Amino acid sequence: MRNLEYGEREISYLSKKDKKLGKLIENTGFLECKVSEDLFDSLVSYIATQQISNRAAETVSMRITQKFGTVTPEKIALLPEEEIKSVGISMKKVQYIKGLSEAVLSGRLDIRGLADLPDEDVSSQLTSIRGIGEWTAEMFLIFSLGRMNVLSYKDFAIRKGMLLLYGLKGLERETFEKYRKRYSPYGTVASLYIWHLSENGL
């Protein structure tokens, strides 16, 4: 793993663009973000932990690592569905993970080649795989490829954090897009602080 590389330039830019976010950054201090460079293994983890709480996600991820070690397409292809399901995920998610393995092994998805593509093309290729939606693609962009300008509307904690930060009662997509453009090109750094706020409060 490596750390997401950001520093004074990105923090200064966001603080000038948005005073409330700047105050949050000042009060919080530097936040570290780990980026996993094992692309297939991390993508399997994102699929397995879709639409569950952070605590449940941590448990599932730990079970996958303990039971299977580093996950590869070849390993997934050989595993019975029930054995994958035993880590605490649904059969539907098992089938999505199996489908991802098949896509990589067949060459339909060049997972290593994703690192060379723009964000939009990465998302497009990933979401063409059954079971991978916008949120999963966005998490992959941040936590596997270390992309700097990702803010996820599909992420509940991001929406919750933005409601807290700006004192909003709701967050329509149009309002979200206004802030996303304001944070650009460092939306990922903003995401780190909004996630922290969502978990810890003001």
Side-chain angles (χ1 to χ4, degrees):
M1 283 198 177
R2 64 181 175 89
N3 287 326
L4 183 73
E5 293 182 11
Y6 77 95
E8 186 56 41
R9 179 182 61 180
E10 293 82 3
I11 285 172
S12 176
Y13 178 90
L14 291 170
S15 298
K16 287 175 183 175
K17 283 283 185 177
D18 191 293
K19 289 183 179 179
K20 288 188 176 181
L21 180 60
K23 191 68 176 174
L24 172 64
I25 292 171
E26 182 183 350
N27 291 340
T28 303
F30 183 79
L31 292 174
E32 194 173 82
C33 175
K34 293 292 185 184
V35 176
S36 171
E37 294 173 298
D38 193 316
L39 303 184
F40 183 83
D41 183 81
S42 59
L43 191 50
V44 167
S45 180
Y46 306 145
I47 293 172
T49 57
Q50 289 175 139
Q51 298 177 319
I52 59 177
S53 70
N54 286 342
R55 183 171 293 181
E58 288 172 6
T59 300
V60 168
S61 295
M62 182 180 65
R63 287 174 181 166
I64 290 172
T65 301
Q66 289 176 342
K67 194 171 182 69
F68 306 121
T70 299
V71 178
T72 64
E74 295 79 8
K75 191 179 286 187
I76 291 294
L78 294 173
L79 286 170
E81 290 184 347
E82 286 295 334
E83 190 169 352
I84 302 172
K85 185 174 182 288
S86 69
V87 300
I89 61 175
S90 67
M91 185 54 73
K92 185 174 284 188
K93 286 184 178 180
V94 172
Q95 290 165 354
Y96 293 158
I97 290 167
K98 281 281 193 179
L100 172 64
S101 171
E102 290 166 10
V104 173
L105 292 173
S106 70
R108 185 159 63 90
L109 177 66
D110 177 10
I111 195 163
R112 290 180 182 172
L114 293 175
D116 300 321
L117 299 178
D119 293 0
E120 296 78 11
D121 292 347
V122 173
S123 294
S124 177
Q125 290 208 22
L126 287 179
T127 55
S128 72
I129 306 296
R130 185 168 170 262
I132 298 181
E134 186 180 337
W135 178 86
T136 304
E138 287 166 336
M139 296 308 104
F140 182 83
L141 284 167
I142 294 174
F143 296 109
S144 295
L145 298 183
R147 298 296 170 87
M148 291 300 294
N149 196 26
V150 183
L151 187 80
S152 176
Y153 184 72
K154 296 283 187 177
D155 191 276
F156 172 78
I158 288 289
R159 296 198 307 274
K160 176 186 172 186
M162 291 178 76
L163 293 177
L164 285 170
L165 183 60
Y166 299 110
L168 303 171
K169 287 185 165 44
L171 187 65
E172 298 299 323
R173 189 76 189 231
E174 185 179 353
T175 305
F176 170 85
E177 287 297 328
K178 179 186 75 173
Y179 288 111
R180 187 183 66 80
K181 288 174 184 174
R182 184 183 296 178
Y183 304 154
S184 181
Y186 304 123
T188 297
V189 179
S191 293
L192 300 182
Y193 286 91
I194 292 168
W195 272 319
H196 185 272
L197 173 60
S198 179
E199 291 179 7
N200 298 280
L202 288 167

